[in-house]
Amino acid sequence: MFPEYRDLITRLKTTDRHFQNLFDKHNELDQKIKNMENHVEPGTPLEIEVLKKEKLALKDELYEVLRKAEA
């Protein structure tokens, strides 16, 4: 995710608690979605779709934090 911001992501994960929380939540959702899609965890297609939208919103928020931190 965002390879062009790799160094900034590394820095923010250790210095910005809000960014770290967003990053962790995004990764947790990503894993949950994968588990549901692979039938490791129960989940309906609708539940998976809702989680994907939540994950996308988190990604958008992470991108905004990165852009502001870069400026």
Side-chain angles (χ1 to χ4, degrees):
M1 178 173 53
F2 307 123
E4 68 275 19
Y5 289 112
R6 187 172 307 146
D7 293 338
L8 183 56
I9 289 170
T10 300
R11 183 167 54 86
L12 289 176
K13 282 177 21 180
T14 60
T15 61
D16 186 324
R17 179 169 284 193
H18 176 65
F19 182 85
Q20 179 65 49
N21 289 338
L22 291 173
F23 193 86
D24 288 345
K25 180 70 174 168
H26 181 275
N27 287 338
E28 289 168 15
L29 281 175
D30 187 50
Q31 188 60 53
K32 185 172 184 73
I33 291 165
K34 286 178 185 173
N35 288 344
M36 290 175 140
E37 289 177 336
N38 292 322
H39 307 289
V40 175
E41 286 184 47
T44 67
L46 180 59
E47 289 171 323
I48 293 169
E49 190 66 30
V50 168
L51 291 177
K52 284 183 175 182
K53 288 178 181 177
E54 186 178 342
K55 182 181 140 189
L56 185 58
L58 285 169
K59 188 173 181 178
D60 288 345
E61 194 171 347
L62 284 164
Y63 183 69
E64 281 303 310
V65 173
L66 288 167
R67 284 182 16 125
K68 288 178 183 173
E70 182 183 47

